[in-house]
Amino acid sequence: MALVKAYAAQAADKPLTPFSFERPEPGAEDVEIKILYCGVCHSDIHTARNEWGGTVYPVVPGHEIVGKVTRVGVNVTRFKEGDTVGVGCFVDSCMHCSNCNNDLEQYCENGNTQTYNSLTQDKKTITLGGYSSHITVTQHFVLSIADNLPLEKVAPLLCAGITTYSPLRHWGIKAGDKVAVVGLGGLGHMAVKLASSMGSEVTMLSRSKNKEKDATELGAKHFKLTTDKDTMTELANTFDFILDTVSALHDYNEYLGLLKTDGVMIIVGAPPEPTPVSAFPFILGRRSLVGSLVGGIKETQEMLDYCAEHNITSDVEVISIDKINEAYERTISGDVHYRFVIEMATL
Ligand code: NAP
Ligand code: ZN
């Protein structure tokens, strides 16, 4: 057993505070990683505050992890001590269902093991995540990180990057497609960078006027305020795809009408509350409303390699871990440009 330093929430209405716990010794297939940076995803906040339900306390959030390998088990062939590696949103799955066999471990039919607040495959322990000094992960779920990009800017690719890359690839978004991204936060800014790098014409739909300049610099061709009444009539029947990254309750019906015939609205943002949708935008335009969960391990590696090749990283604000509660408040109020990343040496 190795003692690990961390930050944890002890209850939904309590701030995160210093915490320590023991991680098991690395087994034959395991990679032990010293965490250098961990991104702060809005999912961490939803979970720490039990907004989705089901949080087991104490919870150690964090699933945008970059670090260095410190030890490997005897069967580990792909990694050695000193390698730079990443860990994303899940750390294990059954490895034999049809989804696992098709590189879709995130949709494991027997239940994947997420990086935090999730049962291990033996169903005995709840996982504790990346706001910690070390993590031990079975080798299949460890990603290789190229050394040519700044690691603090790479960490958010492990969730915000893959969550936006995977649907762009799955729905075959290509050069010339008109794509709207809703919400300019962690996921939204990666969506703009990735979609524009693939040649699509990106429109940023935001409620924040002060983000217009940033949206353009990130690669958006157009910027429209969702709080402006004219936006929805002006943009009716415009987009091939809409990628919705909004973290809070909002009305999907308002956006469905912006799709062309056969257009697809992809939900990746996960507001805790449900919202009703009308049949008419679907019927009248043969439109679809779909969702997507992060991406499989093979596709996550493909995304990391794509980003290394195209020099794509996240825009980050590096914080010390004692600033985590402040970072949560600023994220909720939309004041993040565009991902907080914890420097784990400050633990
Ligand atoms: P974030 O950085 O907080 O960004 C969310 C953005 O949504 C904000 O910047 C804001 O953009 C917009 N927004 C927030 N509150 C709003 C409101 N009340 N009304 C309208 N717009 C609002 O969050 P994130 O880390 O990108 O995560 C976004 C969501 O995706 C979260 O729900 C998270 O849990 C979920 N998520 C899903 C997956 C998946 O696999 N599907 C993976 C990771 C995260 P503007 O200021 O531009 O309007
Ligand atoms: Zn995340």
Side-chain angles (χ1 to χ4, degrees):
M1 291 285 191
L3 192 69
V4 166
K5 290 209 284 183
Y7 257 56
Q10 300 286 348
D13 59 351
K14 293 277 184 304
L16 277 75
T17 48
F19 175 67
S20 59
F21 64 96
E22 292 197 319
R23 295 221 191 255
E25 286 295 305
E29 299 288 333
D30 290 342
V31 179
E32 184 193 65
I33 302 157
K34 177 182 164 60
I35 301 177
L36 298 176
Y37 295 102
C38 184
V40 178
C41 177
H42 209 117
S43 302
D44 301 353
I45 306 174
H46 291 311
T47 307
R49 300 188 175 186
N50 200 23
E51 292 170 356
W52 291 330
T55 302
V56 178
Y57 295 94
V59 62
V60 176
H63 59 202
E64 292 183 338
I65 297 165
V66 167
K68 293 274 182 194
V69 173
T70 44
R71 285 192 287 175
V72 295
V74 289
N75 294 343
V76 173
T77 47
R78 290 172 46 232
F79 303 101
K80 58 177 189 326
E81 193 186 330
D83 285 353
T84 308
V85 293
V87 177
C89 298
F90 48 100
V91 289
D92 210 353
S93 67
C94 82
M95 300 297 283
H96 57 72
C97 72
S98 66
N99 283 338
C100 286
N101 285 333
N102 284 303
D103 298 309
L104 294 169
E105 302 90 343
Q106 75 275 36
Y107 304 117
C108 174
E109 289 163 5
N110 297 306
N112 69 22
T113 299
Q114 298 184 13
T115 307
Y116 59 80
N117 195 47
S118 185
L119 270 178
T120 50
Q121 288 295 303
D122 62 9
K123 313 291 179 207
K124 286 185 182 154
T125 321
I126 300 285
T127 52
L128 298 167
Y131 298 0
S132 58
S133 54
H134 292 80
I135 192 165
T136 304
V137 178
T138 188
Q139 61 173 329
H140 177 80
F141 292 84
V142 178
L143 287 311
S144 294
I145 303 283
D147 276 327
N148 65 324
L149 298 173
L151 297 181
E152 68 280 17
K153 290 166 168 271
V154 169
L157 302 181
L158 274 310
C159 172
I162 184 60
T163 302
T164 49
Y165 180 90
S166 180
L168 293 173
R169 288 299 193 213
H170 180 74
W171 277 280
I173 290 168
K174 58 187 185 313
D177 281 345
K178 291 195 161 133
V179 176
V181 175
V182 191
L184 187 49
L187 268 57
H189 93 292
M190 289 313 307
V192 173
K193 288 189 184 206
L194 289 165
S196 61
S197 80
M198 293 169 191
S200 61
E201 184 180 322
V202 178
T203 300
M204 184 69 230
L205 297 178
S206 168
R207 60 182 177 154
S208 308
K209 176 85 188 121
N210 62 349
K211 294 182 185 172
E212 178 163 3
K213 187 167 167 280
D214 290 350
T216 312
E217 283 171 10
L218 291 164
K221 203 148 184 202
H222 316 280
F223 179 93
K224 293 285 177 186
L225 272 180
T226 50
T227 47
D228 184 343
K229 278 205 179 63
D230 295 337
T231 295
M232 299 305 176
T233 39
E234 220 177 90
L235 295 179
N237 302 306
T238 299
F239 300 111
D240 300 292
F241 298 95
I242 298 174
L243 194 56
D244 183 333
T245 74
V246 173
S247 53
L249 186 64
H250 58 295
D251 186 0
Y252 297 151
N253 299 289
E254 287 185 6
Y255 297 91
L256 287 164
L258 309 188
L259 292 170
K260 291 180 188 168
T261 304
D262 289 329
V264 182
M265 175 159 169
I266 305 159
I267 303 294
V268 289
E273 307 84 6
T275 183
V277 287
S278 158
F280 289 100
F282 303 108
I283 295 172
L284 296 176
R286 205 163 62 186
R287 301 174 174 109
S288 325
L289 179 64
V290 299
S292 183
L293 175 67
V294 284
I297 291 298
K298 187 172 170 213
E299 193 173 47
T300 306
Q301 190 63 59
E302 177 192 305
M303 176 276 310
L304 288 166
D305 298 344
Y306 176 89
C307 289
E309 193 188 325
H310 293 83
N311 206 17
I312 296 173
T313 54
S314 172
D315 290 15
V316 304
E317 196 173 322
V318 177
I319 56 166
S320 54
I321 190 121
D322 60 341
K323 295 282 186 289
I324 186 65
N325 298 298
E326 204 179 294
Y328 276 17
E329 293 310 321
R330 283 186 52 197
T331 301
I332 292 164
S333 67
D335 177 21
V336 48
H337 309 276
Y338 278 89
R339 198 54 138 189
F340 288 110
V341 172
I342 306 162
E343 182 167 16
M344 216 45 73
T346 61
L347 240 184

